[in-house]
Amino acid sequence: MKTKGLLLVAAVSLLFFTNTTTAQRGIRIGYIDMGYILENVPEYNEASSELDTKVQKWKVEIEAELKEVEEMRKDLNNERVLLTKELIEEREEDIVFKEKEILEYQQKRFGPNGDLFLQKKRLVQPIQDQVFVAVQEIAKNKKYDFIFDKSADPVMLYSADRYDISDQVLLRINRASKRKQLSSKKDKRALENAEKRNLSQEREVSDRERAAQKRLSQREQLLAERKAERDSIRAAKKKEFEERRARLLELQKRKKDSINTLKAQKENLENN
């Protein structure tokens, strides 16, 4: 988590550094929401549902074993007065052994490197690979400078929807899935032609977006220059006011000092 945070800081630092060299075209930033993408990939949802069924089965098995241990302990307590010391120790050893077996089974299924962790990793990895490929394509085609993952450890406190490219990534993943499902060459060619048309449309949209972004950057720059000019005028007026106020206060002080001096001289004359 610390490493990811450092990477984010480095990326943001690079962004500000790059801003001075790419001001002509403006920096393009996007982000994805991995959680949202996973929720909308049918293959992942089907496999995840199957895994949930397995998890529920494992939990039922563990609960049944724990209940059996509880029954063993209850029976021992009820029969303790009728048993010899050796039998009591033997029954207690059976209970400890059973508890150890349950703990080992819990670790096997739900531990840090257990079945749940490994199967979730196997579920997510193929989607992550597809997302990575899709992000590379989008970044290349639409000239993105930075694309972040909103669901990663570094927290995004705010992210405008217009920078979210998750649906674009999903579109590419679904296209790849459809290509795998098609069997005839005719259907595949039809899909490829449709994708080429869509890609052409995306490029046209991207060109319009870049032009709009450039106009927005120019407008923001103009507004920033006007604000700087207004701030400069306000600062100059404030400085002039402070200087005038300081002069007036100084004149008032001198006048007051002069009056006090005259009063003191008058008092001295009267006393003499």
Side-chain angles (χ1 to χ4, degrees), residues 173-190:
I173 291 174
N174 291 332
R175 285 175 185 169
S177 178
K178 287 180 181 178
R179 281 197 295 269
K180 290 179 182 178
Q181 294 171 6
L182 295 176
S183 55
S184 69
K185 292 183 178 179
K186 181 180 178 181
D187 290 338
K188 289 183 178 180
R189 280 198 299 271

Side-chain angles (χ1 to χ4, degrees), residues 29-203:
I29 302 172
Y31 69 87
I32 63 167
D33 186 340
M34 193 65 185
Y36 169 79
I37 292 172
L38 290 174
E39 288 173 1
N40 288 276
V41 176
E43 295 85 354
Y44 174 82
N45 286 326
E46 290 172 8
S48 182
S49 179
E50 291 177 4
L51 180 56
D52 288 341
T53 301
K54 286 184 180 179
V55 169
Q56 290 303 316
K57 182 183 175 183
W58 296 338
K59 287 181 178 179
V60 168
E61 290 174 351
I62 291 171
E63 287 173 2
E65 293 294 321
L66 288 172
K67 187 176 181 180
E68 184 179 340
V69 169
E70 188 62 30
E71 288 295 327
M72 291 170 65
R73 186 177 286 109
K74 184 179 178 181
D75 291 342
L76 176 58
N77 290 334
N78 291 336
E79 301 170 7
R80 188 178 293 271
V81 294
L82 304 174
L83 301 174
T84 63
K85 181 180 178 182
E86 290 76 12
L87 286 174
I88 291 173
E89 290 177 351
E90 184 179 333
R91 298 271 288 271
E92 287 176 341
E93 286 176 3
D94 290 340
I95 291 172
V96 171
F97 181 78
K98 190 73 174 178
E99 288 177 332
K100 185 178 179 182
E101 280 186 331
I102 294 172
L103 182 59
E104 289 175 352
Y105 185 76
Q106 286 177 321
Q107 289 298 310
K108 178 187 175 184
R109 296 303 192 188
F110 300 104
N113 295 307
D115 294 336
L116 179 59
F117 173 81
L118 295 175
Q119 292 193 35
K120 275 190 174 181
K121 186 176 180 181
R122 281 198 291 269
L123 276 179
V124 173
Q125 189 63 52
I127 309 300
Q128 287 179 328
D129 294 341
Q130 293 179 64
V131 169
F132 178 78
V133 172
V135 166
Q136 299 301 309
E137 291 177 359
I138 293 170
K140 182 179 178 182
N141 293 334
K142 296 197 172 185
K143 303 289 189 293
Y144 277 95
D145 297 289
F146 301 93
I147 296 179
F148 300 100
D149 181 2
K150 184 179 180 180
S151 61
D153 287 340
V155 178
M156 295 178 69
L157 298 178
Y158 174 77
S159 52
D161 292 341
R162 66 179 179 273
Y163 299 119
D164 189 351
I165 63 168
S166 300
D167 286 323
Q168 298 178 44
V169 172
L170 272 172
L171 180 63
R172 280 167 167 76
I173 291 174
N174 291 332
R175 285 175 185 169
S177 178
K178 287 180 181 178
R179 281 197 295 269
K180 290 179 182 178
Q181 294 171 6
L182 295 176
S183 55
S184 69
K185 292 183 178 179
K186 181 180 178 181
D187 290 338
K188 289 183 178 180
R189 280 198 299 271
L191 181 61
E192 288 174 359
N193 291 333
E195 288 178 357
K196 287 178 181 178
R197 288 194 297 272
N198 290 333
L199 181 59
S200 177
Q201 291 172 355
E202 284 182 8
R203 285 173 177 166

